[in-house]
Amino acid sequence: MTLRKVVTCAAIAPLLAVAVTAPAEAKAPHPQPFMGWSSWSIGSTKAPGYGGDWMDEARVKKTADTMAAKLKPAGYRYINLDAEWSKTRGDWQANSDANGIPSADPVRFPNGIKPVADYVHSKGLKLGIYGAIGLEKKIYDQNVPIAGTSCTVQQITVLPLTTANKWGDNWMIDYTKPCAQKYIDSVVKKFASWGVDFLKIDGILPSSVAEMAAYSKAIDKSGRKIWLSGSAWPVDIAAADGLRPSVNGVRIDTDVECYCDTTATWESSVDNRWEDLPNWLPHLRSNYLGDLDSMPIVNNSGTGLQDGISNVERQSVFTFWSMASSPLYVGGDLQNIDDAAVKILTNPEVIALDQSAVLPTRVTAGDLQVWKKVVHGKTYVAVYNLGSAPADIKVDFKSVGAGHLRPVRDLVARKSLGWSWDSWTAQDVPAHGSRLIRIG
């Protein structure tokens, strides 16, 4: 049985006053952040051999094979297909069926999504797919019937027609109209029948709260446990509290990808996370997690798509995501994952910190930052050097709520550092580097 919560929309745009007719159903409980892989870093890059045409059935299966062999033992499970799954190669046109339900591109997935999900499940993994806020204009123009009803899609939109998402396309759905929920139910029912375990809905605006509540209801009705992720680049913080009852995780920052010939760079836009997470922390909860986007921690040394950040920076990413209890998912080509990435991503002590689903506190800001969180009575502290030169970073025990004489453990190195009195100093932390310790 799932907990039921009520959507509150008081701070959201007045348009929502006519859009919500019933409280959201329960979001399925996911007590820990999900761990896995997402395709979009590959879909977005300009690296030769990659980009929006890369995804297909064979490559998804090979990605699942690699995850099962190298990352699954550490807890990684999700193979999440982003926008490419339903887009036609070359012209990026969306595919849909006779009832306006998104469908797989027949060239990429000639057998559809269900056999892919079955294959992923056979590896002990889970499959995710992608959708966007609103009703596609092409579907509206075709005025297709809504499955299981006497309605058509032109009967469920807001009038006058209003764009629904962050791209300024798709039409907004009016949830005071009874067949509106039925349409979302039909979409999720089809996804559930394929064996989908994760659903990312992208392009969210403050006016999208009612639609995410509709997806939450539809997931309940489907009878399948599906992680519901609310996404944009980022989601507007004005929607934060309204979305909380409906979604399991919410994108709180811009795309990590640089849209260049690597996955990312430090300045575009890995380093934004340290600035933006503090603004979201008052709105997040252990069952409503801040999604920092995919981690560029896959390949720095071999052929193929490169991460675009150094090993020092890759470790800082993993430490920061784990301190934030963000979902842990990578975005590169797992076929080329290097040993250093596997070592970073499978550290059990750092993963456990993430999976606690406990939110952190920033103790000091600026270039030399100290963050803390307390899990099962133990104090964990991460320090980050966001500056351009090596520096020492002091942790005052009183400032993080620790006692005077305390043992210190380095979670990344997985070794004891002995006892410290009143403070501990991370010495010579490199630019963009970090340290992660447990005090006590």
Side-chain angles (χ1 to χ4, degrees), residues 377-381 395-397 400 402-403 406-409 411 424 437-440:
K378 299 289 186 180
T379 300
Y380 294 83
V381 175
V395 177
D396 178 75
F397 286 176
V400 297
R406 310 299 293 171
V408 176
R409 180 173 178 80
L411 271 66
W424 173 83
I437 61 171
R438 184 183 71 217
I439 303 173

Side-chain angles (χ1 to χ4, degrees), residues 59-373:
R59 287 174 172 145
V60 171
K61 287 181 175 179
K62 287 180 180 178
T63 300
D65 292 342
T66 305
M67 178 174 285
K70 296 191 174 183
L71 298 179
K72 177 186 170 186
Y76 295 83
R77 293 287 189 277
Y78 286 80
I79 300 291
N80 291 341
L81 313 184
D82 213 86
E84 312 99 299
W85 78 275
S86 66
K87 305 294 186 182
T88 302
R89 278 176 164 160
D91 63 5
W92 204 248
Q93 293 299 305
N95 288 273
S96 58
D97 69 12
N99 295 114
I101 298 170
S103 59
D105 175 56
V107 176
R108 298 177 190 268
F109 298 99
N111 301 303
I113 294 299
K114 189 178 189 309
V116 178
D118 290 345
Y119 184 86
V120 168
H121 293 154
S122 76
K123 298 286 180 178
L125 305 176
K126 297 178 180 293
L127 186 84
I129 57 176
Y130 170 101
I133 281 290
L135 178 71
E136 286 190 15
K137 292 180 178 179
K138 180 178 73 172
I139 294 172
Y140 177 88
D141 291 342
Q142 294 170 344
N143 197 24
V144 299
I146 297 171
T149 76
S150 59
C151 298
T152 66
V153 293
Q154 288 187 4
Q155 295 174 297
I156 65 170
T157 58
V158 168
L159 295 175
L161 291 172
T162 304
T163 54
N165 58 39
K166 207 160 186 175
W167 302 280
D169 62 8
N170 290 11
W171 296 128
M172 186 178 292
I173 298 172
D174 182 349
Y175 288 93
T176 67
K177 298 177 178 179
C179 286
Q181 181 66 53
K182 296 290 188 181
Y183 173 68
I184 300 299
D185 290 348
S186 72
V187 172
V188 173
K189 181 179 179 181
K190 179 62 69 70
F191 291 168
S193 75
W194 296 341
V196 166
D197 305 292
F198 171 100
L199 179 57
K200 170 184 173 181
I201 301 297
D202 203 8
I204 284 177
L205 298 171
S207 56
S208 305
V209 167
E211 186 150 324
M212 297 309 292
Y215 274 104
S216 179
K217 289 182 181 181
I219 289 170
D220 276 1
K221 294 175 184 177
S222 78
R224 187 168 185 85
K225 185 177 179 181
I226 298 174
W227 178 289
L228 181 59
S229 179
S231 186
W233 48 97
V235 170
D236 191 321
I237 203 166
D241 294 338
L243 291 172
R244 189 190 303 128
S246 302
V247 306
N248 302 105
V250 59
R251 268 284 300 280
I252 66 173
D253 221 311
T254 188
D255 288 356
V256 78
E257 295 86 6
C258 60
Y259 293 80
C260 61
D261 60 358
T262 62
T263 295
T265 69
W266 183 257
E267 291 81 15
S268 181
S269 59
V270 171
D271 61 350
N272 291 71
R273 277 74 188 149
W274 280 263
E275 176 183 353
D276 295 334
L277 176 59
N279 299 325
W280 272 85
L281 285 173
H283 302 280
L284 301 176
R285 302 290 187 272
S286 62
N287 68 342
Y288 178 58
L289 297 169
D291 186 337
L292 293 171
D293 205 7
S294 60
M295 300 178 293
I297 308 175
V298 174
N299 179 25
N300 254 358
S301 57
T303 60
L305 178 60
Q306 302 290 294
D307 293 340
I309 61 175
S310 70
N311 282 349
V312 166
E313 292 165 341
R314 294 201 295 181
Q315 182 60 62
S316 292
V317 164
F318 195 61
T319 296
F320 190 71
W321 267 238
S322 296
M323 280 291 287
S325 284
S326 171
L328 299 179
Y329 58 105
V330 295
D333 183 357
L334 284 187
Q335 296 299 292
N336 294 304
I337 192 168
D338 59 32
D339 291 343
V342 173
K343 183 178 180 181
I344 291 169
L345 293 169
T346 60
N347 184 317
E349 297 187 33
V350 184
I351 290 172
L353 191 61
D354 175 83
Q355 296 292 285
S356 70
V358 173
L359 298 172
T361 301
R362 186 173 65 176
V363 180
T364 63
D367 282 348
L368 305 180
Q369 295 195 6
V370 176
W371 290 68
K372 75 160 190 176
K373 68 179 182 179

Side-chain angles (χ1 to χ4, degrees), residues 39-62:
S39 70
W40 185 244
S41 292
I42 291 177
S44 70
T45 187
K46 296 179 181 178
Y50 295 97
D53 288 346
W54 179 89
M55 184 199 291
D56 59 27
E57 180 175 334
R59 287 174 172 145
V60 171
K61 287 181 175 179
K62 287 180 180 178

